[in-house]
Amino acid sequence: MTANVLGVADGRALGCSTRVIVTRPRSLATASAAVDEVLAAIDLAASRFRDDSELSRLNASPDRVVGVSPLLAHAIEAALRGAELTGGAVDPTVGSAVRLAGYDADFDAVPREGAAIRLVARRIPGWKAIQFSAAQRTVVVPGGVELDLGATGKALASDLAAAAALQAMGGGGVLVNLGGDIAVAGEHPLDGWAIQASEDGATPLSDAEQTVSITSGGVATSGTTVRRWVRGATVLHHIIDPATGLPVDTCWRTVTVAAGTCVDANIASTAAVVMGERAPAWLRAHGLAARLVHVDGSVHRLAGWPETGKSKADPTIL
Ligand code: ADP
Ligand code: MG
């Protein structure tokens, strides 16, 4: 534990705003440099918006055994684990479905309005179509399948960036926030890391907003209200229902989860949006603290998520 004098650095990476907070302000530059290095490496390995990324080259090499870097292997492994844990609600083979829905460039470059597009419901290929060997670090992506690591990849980047910053600082504690995917490592402020659960990451910090406090692990938020766009008369968003390949028609507009890692929190938050009414039972079964905002605006709290004010949501390992 440490006194609450923190160092804070804001930036932008991976198509979202970033924040690094350290418990020892003198280590801020060291921590930020370590975080930047991890984010640049993840972008080069796993971005679907760069033709020169390893993921783009993998997607362009169908039906072939492709050797991948340790970092891309780690990201693919995390994505496949998420698929397995959620019965395929979170599934990295959503790539072409996300692209066909109109999210085909860094989100800042996706027009918020445009002419109607014709979308056809079609089950996504499914994660079991991917042949992955962790031991050999090889992958086969069948023709017609596009891997998308957008969900677990950003959360993995938070976990890895927090760990790298801690190592570079040689002590102290750090929080890394990538557009709502938050990981902490090392020592924590006196009352833990206070995290404001807002629907939009751009919401200013305020006493009126609810915070949870964590001392390890991560918190992730997924939702349909921030990354959305309109084509014709149809509102589209970035979370795909694997059963239809279309933006999911869900009862939750925002879900925030605390877990043992940011990857696990994000697997659960994305899955909850996809699962809809089945989500509370699934989250409870895994003992995960969660805050779900219904499309009617009502807020539902599970497994120790605090009712009001600052208190503690114990992170659980999925
Ligand atoms: P955010 O990017 O706001 O943190 P998520 O973590 O839920 O939100 O990730 C959403 C991203 O994951 C989408 O932009 C898309 O690239 C990808 N995605 C969409 N639907 C799914 C799904 N059902 N399973 C896995 N990844 C998905
Ligand atoms: Mg996320």
Side-chain angles (χ1 to χ4, degrees):
M1 282 200 290
T2 175
N4 288 344
V5 181
L6 304 172
V8 182
D10 289 331
R12 232 185 134 68
L14 306 183
C16 56
S17 52
T18 65
R19 171 165 284 192
V20 177
I21 311 180
V22 293
T23 55
R24 300 179 187 174
R26 266 183 301 172
S27 301
L28 185 60
T30 306
S32 294
V35 168
D36 289 348
E37 202 175 307
V38 169
L39 301 190
I42 282 272
D43 198 49
L44 194 56
S47 170
R48 69 187 171 95
F49 305 127
R50 294 175 58 155
D51 290 342
D52 64 341
S53 77
E54 218 190 331
L55 180 66
S56 294
R57 280 186 274 123
L58 174 62
N59 278 331
S61 313
D63 296 319
R64 290 224 306 267
V65 180
V66 178
V68 292
S69 66
L71 188 54
L72 184 57
H74 196 158
I76 292 172
E77 194 167 23
L80 295 176
R81 181 170 156 274
E84 193 165 10
L85 282 166
T86 60
V90 177
D91 186 315
T93 64
V94 292
S96 53
V98 178
R99 188 170 49 73
L100 289 172
Y103 189 177
D104 54 3
D106 193 87
F107 193 67
D108 290 339
V110 173
R112 297 298 182 265
E113 289 185 13
I117 51 174
R118 200 173 125 74
L119 287 174
V120 179
R122 191 178 295 132
R123 174 175 285 280
I124 64 164
W127 61 284
K128 288 180 181 162
I130 304 299
Q131 292 168 41
F132 172 66
S133 164
Q136 310 282 325
R137 267 202 277 116
T138 57
V139 192
V140 181
V141 177
V145 178
E146 277 176 48
L147 274 187
D148 175 331
L149 303 172
T152 40
K154 185 150 68 75
L156 178 65
S158 276
D159 283 329
L160 295 179
L166 179 62
Q167 199 186 14
M169 294 187 300
V174 61
L175 176 150
V176 176
N177 179 3
L178 302 180
D181 288 352
I182 297 168
V184 302
E187 68 183 12
H188 54 82
L190 270 178
D191 295 325
W193 294 102
I195 293 169
Q196 178 173 308
S198 302
E199 294 198 67
D200 184 339
T203 308
L205 294 175
S206 132
D207 285 347
E209 294 274 337
Q210 193 171 40
T211 61
V212 286
S213 142
I214 63 165
T215 54
S216 64
V219 171
T221 299
S222 295
T224 60
T225 59
V226 177
R227 290 186 186 228
R228 55 163 57 205
W229 56 97
V230 178
R231 295 292 176 269
T234 309
V235 178
L236 299 162
H237 64 77
H238 75 144
I239 299 182
I240 299 293
D241 182 351
T244 63
L246 302 175
V248 63
D249 185 8
T250 176
C251 60
W252 309 114
R253 65 181 198 209
T254 307
V255 178
T256 305
V257 179
T261 63
C262 186
V263 165
D264 282 0
N266 197 95
I267 288 169
S269 64
T270 307
V273 171
V274 172
M275 288 179 184
E277 283 165 6
R278 293 185 294 120
W282 186 86
L283 289 164
R284 268 195 210 99
H286 288 89
L288 290 164
R291 177 180 189 268
L292 302 95
V293 183
H294 197 270
V295 286
D296 69 10
S298 59
V299 176
H300 302 242
R301 301 172 182 87
L302 296 181
W305 196 277
E307 280 297 320
T308 51
K310 292 187 186 186
S311 85
K312 204 168 191 143
D314 284 329
T316 307
I317 308 221
L318 198 65

